[in-house]
Amino acid sequence: MSKALPLEPAPDLRGRLALVTGANSGIGFGVARRFAQAGAEVVLAVRNPAKGEEAARRLGGRVRVEQVDLASLSSVRDLCDRLNAEGRPLHHLVNNAGILAPPQRSLSPDGFELQLATNHLGHFALTGLLLPLLREAGGRVVSVASLTARTARLSPEDLQGGTYRPYAAHGTSKLAQLVFALELDRRARRHGWGITSNAAHPGGVVTNLQVTGPTLGGHRAGLAARLSTRIYRLPGLGNDVARASLLPFFAATGGRAEGGAYYGPAGFAELAGPPARATIPARARDARTAARLWTASEELTGVAFPGSGD
């Protein structure tokens, strides 16, 4: 078990702008609710606008909906074009949207494996294209990783290769997201971008991810999805959505949350509990792997950050 970090008073975020991807349900909705309750203006970046509008009505406050499909680079660019045209400084970006373990290999509109496209490449492009707004605000970027990153493998030169295994592919996409978060902070410091980046994982939590991924294409949810759903509902072995949403929110706003850090639950095996420092997998700490992933991600998305090639 990790030592829980001291609880902090709710921050006053009036006058600040936050964008949360996948914010119409689950952890994303919980994070958006925390931002709204703290007084921030919140952009719900969602794939389904109707579901986003329903979420906005439930949240109240200064909340608006923007459509984006993280699996589609053209959709990501369209959203970023709209936000950059507005020119509003962006104080908080929470890269949360994700898909979990489709039973069969599916491709994004750009030809990438769907989990890699949604969980990592879309967020990589989103962050790069919104970097001017983040820099203007001295913003903080939080990437929501997963416990599946612990045992995942990552080959930056062959991100989509090999036999497709649903949960292994999910782990790879989430490990890539974690590596990106840590490398983004390193590069921000090196190049003086004036932003910070960290990551958080929610522990064991049951959301619609356990249903939407494993049932894509009309398939029944797999054994792993059904088993994890039951386990995470046991006392001490899972967070509910309200508590799980505290992890990314703390990473995005907490005074004790640092750039280049990784946060997860303080309880047994990082499955449940309040925020604490999470264990960073060895593969996520390797600077050479991070540099290779960064280069591959820029090539695949066509989005280059300042200082690329340094």
Side-chain angles (χ1 to χ4, degrees):
M1 294 187 183
S2 302
K3 183 178 180 181
L5 295 167
L7 293 178
E8 300 174 320
D12 182 355
L13 301 180
R14 287 174 294 183
R16 301 177 74 84
L17 179 65
L19 187 151
V20 183
T21 67
N24 61 282
S25 65
I27 293 170
F29 180 82
V31 174
R33 170 177 279 167
R34 290 180 182 275
F35 273 116
Q37 289 174 340
E41 182 177 348
V42 189
V43 176
L44 311 183
V46 300
R47 187 173 59 86
N48 186 316
K51 291 182 179 180
E53 293 294 348
E54 174 59 28
R57 284 192 290 271
R58 291 167 59 197
L59 289 171
R62 301 182 65 197
V63 178
R64 72 185 235 223
V65 175
E66 289 285 351
Q67 195 278 332
V68 65
D69 180 357
L70 270 296
S72 167
L73 292 174
S74 65
S75 179
V76 172
R77 288 184 180 276
D78 286 346
L79 170 62
C80 294
D81 286 346
R82 296 195 299 270
L83 294 177
N84 281 310
E86 290 179 6
R88 296 274 309 279
L90 180 59
H91 301 87
H92 309 277
L93 171 60
V94 181
N95 291 326
N96 163 77
I99 188 170
L100 170 65
Q104 294 184 345
R105 189 174 191 269
S106 301
L107 299 181
S108 73
D110 304 290
F112 305 130
E113 190 278 315
L114 190 59
Q115 294 184 85
L116 178 73
T118 305
N119 300 350
H120 170 59
L121 294 175
H123 285 122
F124 181 93
L126 180 74
T127 305
L129 294 170
L130 293 181
L131 188 59
L133 303 183
L134 289 162
R135 294 185 66 178
E136 189 172 346
R140 186 180 295 185
V141 180
V142 178
S143 296
V144 181
S146 166
L147 285 169
T148 60
R150 284 179 174 176
T151 57
R153 296 184 178 275
L154 183 63
S155 176
E157 289 77 24
D158 189 22
L159 288 170
Q160 305 184 83
T163 302
Y164 178 73
R165 291 179 294 152
Y167 283 89
H170 182 263
T172 294
S173 70
K174 285 298 186 175
L175 178 57
Q177 203 169 8
L178 174 56
V179 171
F180 162 62
L182 303 182
E183 180 67 5
L184 176 61
D185 194 73
R186 284 191 287 265
R187 291 184 181 235
R189 295 172 189 269
R190 184 188 313 154
H191 297 297
W193 294 341
I195 70 168
T196 60
S197 169
N198 58 25
H201 77 80
V205 59
V206 178
T207 70
N208 61 1
L209 274 182
Q210 278 87 352
V211 176
T212 55
T215 58
L216 276 181
H219 293 268
R220 294 181 61 189
L223 176 61
R226 294 195 296 272
L227 184 61
S228 66
T229 296
R230 292 179 181 178
I231 290 174
Y232 293 158
R233 285 181 173 145
L234 295 174
L237 293 181
N239 275 333
D240 59 22
V241 171
R243 177 171 277 194
S245 68
L246 177 59
L247 277 300
F249 184 73
F250 170 82
T253 65
R256 296 178 183 271
E258 301 174 357
Y262 187 32
Y263 297 96
F268 171 74
E270 298 182 9
L271 287 170
R277 285 277 191 158
T279 301
I280 299 177
R283 293 185 180 94
R285 296 195 298 266
D286 186 82
R288 289 175 296 181
T289 296
R292 288 159 48 212
L293 175 67
W294 192 277
T295 298
S297 299
E298 287 192 330
E299 291 174 351
L300 292 172
T301 62
V303 174
F305 284 67
S308 296
D310 288 5

